[in-house]
Amino acid sequence: MVLWILIAVLTLSVLTLAFWPAFSRSSNIGATENRVADFEHDIAVYKDQLEELDAEEKRGAISQDDAAQARIEIARRLLAAEEKRDSGKTSTRLSQRRVFGTRILAAVAFVFIPGLSLLMYTSLGSPTIGAQPLAARLQAIKEAETASSEQDKQLVQLVARAESHLKENPQDGKGWDVLAPVYFRLGQGPKSADAYRNAIRLLGENAQRLSGLGEVLSAMAGGVVTVDADALFKRAVALEPSNGRALYYLGLGNAQAGREDTAARQWNAIVNNETIDGSWRVAAAQSMARLARENTLALPGPDEQAIKDAEQMSEEDRQAMIAGMVEQLDSRLQENAGTVEEWQRLIRARMVLGQESEAVAALERATSAFASDPQKQAQIHTFAEKIGLKVKQ
């Protein structure tokens, strides 16, 4: 009996706390109006942040990829604030008419919820009914999380809200500019291309919009850099010579056209340009390595500065970048003797990657390459000893 009394008291307490505002005589209209004003302030702040982000990107204070991610997040918050503001205005107008209905609903809940709970417990709460296995419940949760991530949900909501806004305000260039990369991320190429074109038409050309549209057109063509995309990338480079995306795709276009040596030089310039975003430098290094494996081209190799720059990247990006440059240098040295400095770079890079056996093999190959020049052999052996590589006598 004590247990049932305790359950009843807890149930009534929770219901009272939940529905107490419905029985309050004071109006919450003033509080709602204050919240609307707060949302108006937030909207103004987010719009200022978008303008500041554009200015920072033009100054080069932030990379294009980071700016795109920040722009998407600010836009999401801006749209959410607009939606809350509109909802607050509506609730202010309707709050008076809802009071009576809400109080009736609360009164019904005080009777219905405890009664329904008691009925369900007596029919389903028997101790003889076995519990669902924990493993099955965990598996169901895992499958649900895999099916739809929170970030994807936010993007879908962002797109729906932005589409509704742009339908009413088709001349909002910033709206199209924000939505274009989101469409591309969701795999909606045609919509992304249209959004980029609208942004260019309303806001004018810049390197980010031109290279973004070019990337979308290439993706829609199955990864092929089309004539239209190539023209867009060239215009982007004319506006911003260090635009990594445009430079990378120009190299890809040359590779696809059979001009592998030109592509290799363009990608090598990206790898050794520390002003370009790291993700495009890694992509360029990997593409160079692929060309070296497939075509055995005489590609330029990494220098000390390139390896030093790679150490500032994440572990995954650094390993990919160094491995790509090492493979293309190794391929080149297989075709000709090279110089003492090039062999030293290869041996050092192998040691950086933890490939000591490959470093020993490179040392032996260098020794053979300079069999007729004992002085150069001695330089390479001295270098190897300094970096901790055992030299066979």
Side-chain angles (χ1 to χ4, degrees), residues 63-354:
S63 69
Q64 294 177 357
D65 290 344
D66 290 342
Q69 292 295 328
R71 189 174 289 107
I72 290 174
E73 177 60 22
I74 295 172
R76 182 185 67 78
R77 295 179 182 180
L78 173 60
L79 295 174
E82 289 178 345
E83 186 173 5
K84 290 178 180 178
R85 176 199 61 188
D86 296 340
S87 177
K89 291 180 179 179
T90 302
S91 63
T92 300
R93 293 192 299 267
L94 299 179
S95 59
Q96 291 283 0
R97 288 179 288 176
R98 290 179 177 174
V99 170
F100 179 76
T102 304
R103 289 179 176 176
I104 294 297
L105 177 62
V108 172
F110 266 88
V111 178
F112 180 75
I113 291 178
L116 179 62
S117 301
L118 179 62
L119 178 63
M120 293 182 64
Y121 178 78
T122 55
S123 60
L124 302 177
S126 174
T128 60
I129 297 179
Q132 183 182 7
L134 177 60
R137 283 180 284 168
L138 293 177
Q139 181 63 27
I141 295 173
K142 183 177 180 180
E143 291 175 356
E145 291 176 344
T146 304
S148 178
S149 67
E150 183 63 28
Q151 187 176 16
D152 289 340
K153 290 180 180 178
Q154 292 179 351
L155 280 178
V156 171
Q157 293 173 357
L158 168 63
V159 169
R161 178 65 175 156
E163 287 177 338
S164 177
H165 170 76
L166 291 171
K167 187 176 181 179
E168 299 177 359
N169 304 276
Q171 301 303 311
D172 183 0
K174 284 192 174 182
W176 290 112
D177 199 27
V178 169
L179 191 57
V182 178
Y183 273 139
F184 184 58
R185 179 175 177 178
L186 295 176
Q188 301 180 20
K191 288 186 176 181
S192 179
D194 290 341
Y196 271 121
R197 292 191 182 100
N198 286 330
I200 292 172
R201 173 175 56 83
L202 295 169
L203 301 179
E205 294 186 350
N206 67 12
Q208 179 184 348
R209 298 181 192 112
L210 291 171
S211 61
L213 178 57
E215 185 176 29
V216 172
L217 295 180
S218 299
M220 292 171 60
V224 176
V225 180
T226 63
V227 175
D228 292 340
D230 183 77
L232 290 168
F233 292 132
K234 289 178 179 177
R235 282 154 57 190
V237 172
L239 293 174
E240 184 183 327
S242 62
N243 186 280
R245 175 163 49 189
L247 291 171
Y248 173 80
Y249 276 100
L250 286 175
L252 180 61
N254 282 319
Q256 292 172 348
R259 298 184 290 271
E260 291 90 351
D261 54 342
T262 302
R265 286 195 297 271
Q266 289 175 317
W267 284 334
N268 183 67
I270 295 174
V271 169
N272 292 287
N273 187 345
E274 60 184 22
T275 64
I276 294 178
D277 186 82
S279 60
W280 292 112
R281 296 173 67 192
V282 171
Q286 292 173 337
S287 297
M288 289 173 65
R290 184 168 58 253
L291 279 182
R293 291 194 300 270
E294 296 175 355
N295 301 285
T296 319
L297 297 176
L299 304 179
D303 53 21
E304 297 290 336
Q305 184 61 39
I307 295 177
K308 182 178 179 180
D309 292 342
E311 294 175 353
Q312 306 302 318
M313 300 180 181
S314 66
E315 181 66 20
E316 181 179 357
D317 289 348
R318 180 172 67 252
Q319 293 297 328
M321 180 177 177
I322 295 178
M325 292 189 295
V326 169
E327 291 302 326
Q328 54 91 10
L329 174 60
D330 188 271
S331 177
R332 188 166 86 86
L333 291 177
Q334 288 179 2
E335 297 297 317
N336 56 70
T339 64
V340 171
E341 291 75 18
E342 288 174 325
W343 283 106
Q344 289 175 346
R345 292 175 196 165
L346 177 61
I347 294 170
R348 177 188 291 276
R350 292 297 189 189
M351 293 295 289
V352 169
L353 293 174

Side-chain angles (χ1 to χ4, degrees), residues 22-41:
F23 295 97
S24 176
R25 294 184 179 180
S26 61
S27 175
N28 62 352
I29 295 178
T32 303
E33 291 176 346
N34 291 335
R35 289 197 297 271
V36 170
D38 291 340
F39 292 138
E40 293 283 2
H41 173 74

